[in-house]
Amino acid sequence: MINLLFLLNLLAFGNGFTIHQHRHTAPHALSAAAAASKRQPLQAGHSRLHYYTTSPLHAAPKSLQDLLDTPSLWDPIKNDLNAVPAFACANDQGQPLQYDIGTGPLAFFFLDIHAAKDELRKAQKETAMEGLTLVPFPLGEVFEMGAKQMALIVPSQKSLEDAGGPSGMNPLGQQVPLFGCMDMTQNRPDGTSMVPLFLSMEEAREAMDMALQAVPDGDKGQFDITVIPLAGAVQMQATRSDRSFTYVPPTSSMDYLRSLEN
């Protein structure tokens, strides 16, 4: 189970968002393996938003499994991902409920706490199992399970719509979109700075707007929100020594975890 104290300690960190005033050449931010990228407006009000598609890993490491098998590369990324909770319906032993989707049993892990609560109510009604509850798990561990086809990470429906998906689309089986400004960094307690990636468009935009307060009005238009699939962000960290991310959990998820401590 996820370390609740570790996650709740994140709430005490100062935001420390900083905009770096240099023109970011977004298509070159991906590795050569992901050079095929495209720009597209998503919806009204988001005309400056870009979505970058990525190809499977074929730089060093050569595959996702190679990455997971290389602790020196994977462990730091996993630790960064572990800052984000993913919620599963679980029995009183903390074991996630398994779903049969035709390819074998999978555990569903929800990144949206509200969707997770809805799933819990549904599971309690349909399975009649006693002791079912929501259990938070670290996203890094869940990502490993997903790579082994043991788990499915379910993004929020709102995040898919903000990333350009149609209204009301089924989030099951969809890539997880992350949102962030590639010219913005977040200061960490150890003195390092990383690009923060959010699971919410709204929270990413709020952070960028906060950082842009220190930027002259005439320069603010050059800064964009970028949409990166979770797998693409992991790829970038694995293949580029100059690209590090910090993954920012949704406020609603942290509020829920804090409620468990009360």
Side-chain angles (χ1 to χ4, degrees):
M1 186 182 297
I2 200 165
N3 187 326
L4 296 184
L5 182 60
F6 169 74
L7 279 174
L8 291 169
N9 282 340
L10 293 176
L11 295 173
F13 292 175
N15 287 333
F17 297 122
T18 304
I19 286 286
H20 299 276
Q21 289 188 261
H22 57 83
R23 191 57 183 161
H24 176 64
T25 54
H28 301 291
L30 300 180
S31 64
S37 62
K38 62 181 180 179
R39 170 184 288 191
Q40 62 181 30
L42 297 187
Q43 59 186 57
H46 292 159
S47 60
R48 292 190 298 135
L49 213 63
H50 313 301
Y51 179 78
Y52 296 98
T53 59
T54 58
S55 59
L57 286 173
H58 57 82
K62 295 182 178 180
S63 68
L64 178 57
Q65 190 57 52
D66 284 346
L67 171 60
L68 298 181
D69 291 339
T70 309
S72 61
L73 289 176
W74 169 238
D75 286 353
I77 299 173
K78 178 180 178 180
N79 288 337
D80 290 333
L81 289 171
N82 280 346
V84 177
F87 299 94
C89 299
N91 61 21
D92 55 6
Q93 302 298 314
Q95 300 170 327
L97 193 65
Q98 301 288 306
Y99 297 78
D100 187 356
I101 61 172
T103 58
L106 286 175
F108 287 2
F109 293 87
F110 294 83
L111 297 177
D112 178 4
I113 183 59
H114 303 297
K117 289 179 178 179
D118 288 343
E119 183 63 27
L120 176 62
R121 286 189 286 268
K122 179 181 176 182
Q124 289 172 332
K125 180 179 180 181
E126 294 184 355
T127 67
M129 292 177 60
E130 295 185 1
L132 277 182
T133 187
L134 283 184
V135 175
F137 291 82
L139 181 56
E141 294 186 11
V142 174
F143 189 91
E144 279 188 351
M145 294 173 63
K148 298 174 183 177
Q149 299 184 353
M150 298 169 57
L152 188 67
I153 304 173
V154 185
S156 75
Q157 189 173 83
K158 181 65 165 60
S159 70
L160 293 173
E161 293 174 3
D162 286 341
S167 177
M169 73 182 300
N170 187 346
L172 294 180
Q174 302 296 331
Q175 292 194 63
V176 175
L178 302 174
F179 307 88
C181 173
M182 296 297 103
D183 292 301
M184 181 174 69
T185 59
Q186 183 177 24
N187 301 326
R188 292 159 60 96
D190 61 5
T192 61
S193 297
M194 294 185 177
V195 174
L197 294 180
F198 299 80
L199 280 81
S200 160
M201 163 62 73
E202 180 181 0
E203 293 181 10
R205 192 168 294 281
E206 288 176 355
M208 187 178 74
D209 289 345
M210 184 187 307
L212 285 175
Q213 292 177 7
V215 175
D217 289 343
D219 296 333
K220 291 180 178 180
Q222 65 180 291
F223 299 104
D224 302 334
I225 294 292
T226 298
V227 185
I228 307 177
L230 172 59
V234 169
Q235 173 185 347
M236 290 175 68
Q237 284 191 272
T239 58
R240 289 191 53 176
S241 60
D242 63 339
R243 179 59 68 198
S244 296
F245 297 120
T246 180
Y247 299 89
V248 183
T251 300
S252 56
S253 295
M254 300 307 291
D255 287 344
Y256 175 76
L257 293 181
R258 183 164 46 192
S259 73
L260 299 181
E261 291 289 289
N262 297 332

